[in-house]
Amino acid sequence: MCGRTKCALSRERIRSTTGCNTWINEDAYNPSHNAGPAFNLPVIHITTDTSHNPVTVLHTMKWGLIPSFTKPTDKPDYYKMFNARSESIHEKPSFRRLIPTRRCLVITEGFYEWHKSNKNQPAKITSKKQPYFITFSNDKTTTSELMVFAGLYDTWKDGEGNIQYTVTILTTETSKRLQWLHDRMPVILRTKEEQDWWLYSKTTINNNNNNNNNNNNNNNGITSTTTNINGSSKLLSLSKLGPYNGDDLTWWPVTPAMGRADYQSEEASKPLERPSVKDFFKPRMTPSKRKKIEEEEKEEAEERKGAAPVMVREKDEEGGVHVGSAIKVEAVNTDEPLEMLKGMKTEEEEVRDGVDKERNQQLKEKKVQRSF
């Protein structure tokens, strides 16, 4: 399955990359790093212009198919059909009727999938799941290009008469490279040729599925015509909707916080920083020890705030330095070591020391005179 995807591209980037000039319901598109069912996604499909000529357009659609035969009074459930198994879309009425004319391309940057730490344990026992982001990347840290999914879309009229376009993403069995992660994955149309094949080939439905073996042009009840809007011949074979096995498919673990649909930070798809081997062998810090360290740091900070008063230094005309002067010329940083402040004297202390020195000198002179 594919229940989360990413499309955080700007509108300008989508337009330039897809080459579509017309964008229906463009204002409804909002870039999302973590899009799920009921989110709006950019979709490419074929429609007709005022002259009834086929044109390719961009269209913002809500993810999660609501069939057109749904009652207007029903509450739409976007989680019920956000995926469609490509192997059985020709069998189910909800999807089968859409194959001839309502195929589309879903534009994304990649998708998310969860890996269970122990898949073999009983279902009643919950196991920890680690989310991964799967994308095309050159440096294994950022998305390098678009990832296009095969999809089907439909229209539904709600109770107020509003027509809503909804889309489902086709899935297939997982590729060999991703079997360790999940048993399903979206149908990725990697090349422009594959995208044109899915989008433009015209088809008709063969209602008698039992005659498949007697008709070489049949594939799972689908018969292809040989003309598309580009004037080339393409055979629509549903067997092509298989897993993508390219080596350029890259994945990495991401934050479990993206499991919440409201988590829209760009960190959702960034590689999760895992601890190194060195960190593993470091002694664990207990909560009590951590609390003690935080308290000591707080006490040291309080001591630094009130340990030493702000002192002022100024230079006199002769270049001497006086501390404690009334004229504030240069402030001493209170963060300086206390040892530097201890050696400083106020102006009064310097005068008193000068008087004491003069007295001592006079006493010494008197003693010398007496000795004669």
Side-chain angles (χ1 to χ4, degrees), residues 201-213:
S201 298
K202 290 186 177 180
T203 61
T204 57
I205 300 295
N206 178 9
N207 292 321
N208 187 359
N209 293 336
N210 295 327
N211 294 331
N212 285 350
N213 296 331

Side-chain angles (χ1 to χ4, degrees), residues 45-57 199-200 202 227-231:
H45 69 95
I46 300 173
T47 186
T48 55
D49 58 16
T50 54
S51 301
H52 302 286
N53 296 318
V55 291
T56 305
V57 298
L199 195 60
Y200 297 134
K202 290 186 177 180
T227 306
N228 61 28
I229 66 173
N230 289 337

Side-chain angles (χ1 to χ4, degrees), residues 188-358:
I188 301 173
L189 302 176
R190 184 71 174 93
T191 65
K192 189 177 185 305
E193 182 181 6
E194 292 173 340
Q195 295 166 14
D196 290 348
W197 160 81
W198 174 249
L199 195 60
Y200 297 134
S201 298
K202 290 186 177 180
T203 61
T204 57
I205 300 295
N206 178 9
N207 292 321
N208 187 359
N209 293 336
N210 295 327
N211 294 331
N212 285 350
N213 296 331
N214 299 326
N215 191 339
N216 293 330
N217 290 329
N218 263 340
N219 183 77
N220 295 333
I222 306 299
T223 301
S224 171
T225 61
T226 58
T227 306
N228 61 28
I229 66 173
N230 289 337
S232 59
S233 299
K234 296 290 180 183
L235 175 65
L236 181 64
S237 172
L238 294 185
S239 62
K240 285 187 177 182
L241 299 176
Y244 179 74
N245 286 292
D247 293 335
D248 53 353
L249 202 63
T250 309
W251 57 84
W252 52 74
V254 294
T255 174
M258 59 76 49
R260 304 193 316 269
D262 61 346
Y263 185 81
Q264 291 299 322
S265 169
E266 61 180 10
E267 298 294 326
S269 62
K270 288 187 177 181
L272 183 67
E273 294 184 4
R274 292 187 176 276
S276 63
V277 177
K278 292 182 180 179
D279 294 333
F280 180 77
F281 288 102
K282 286 182 179 179
R284 295 182 62 184
M285 184 177 292
T286 60
S288 58
K289 187 175 181 180
R290 184 185 297 277
K291 185 177 180 180
K292 184 178 180 181
I293 292 175
E294 290 176 353
E295 290 177 351
E296 291 177 351
E297 291 177 348
K298 187 176 180 181
E299 290 177 0
E300 290 178 0
E302 292 294 333
E303 289 177 358
R304 283 197 298 269
K305 286 182 179 179
V310 176
M311 304 185 70
V312 177
R313 297 182 298 182
E314 72 169 357
K315 293 183 179 181
D316 59 17
E317 295 179 355
E318 298 178 0
V321 178
H322 297 279
V323 182
S325 174
I327 302 176
K328 186 175 181 180
V329 177
E330 181 182 358
V332 178
N333 187 357
T334 56
D335 292 334
E336 292 180 354
L338 294 177
E339 287 74 9
M340 295 179 63
L341 298 176
K342 287 178 181 178
M344 296 182 180
K345 297 180 181 180
T346 64
E347 188 174 3
E348 291 77 6
E349 289 175 337
E350 289 186 348
V351 172
R352 186 171 59 251
D353 289 348
V355 172
D356 292 340
K357 286 182 181 179
E358 188 175 352

Side-chain angles (χ1 to χ4, degrees), residues 116-123 125 127:
K116 287 186 178 181
S117 58
N118 185 1
K119 292 183 178 181
N120 297 323
Q121 65 182 11
I125 302 177
S127 60

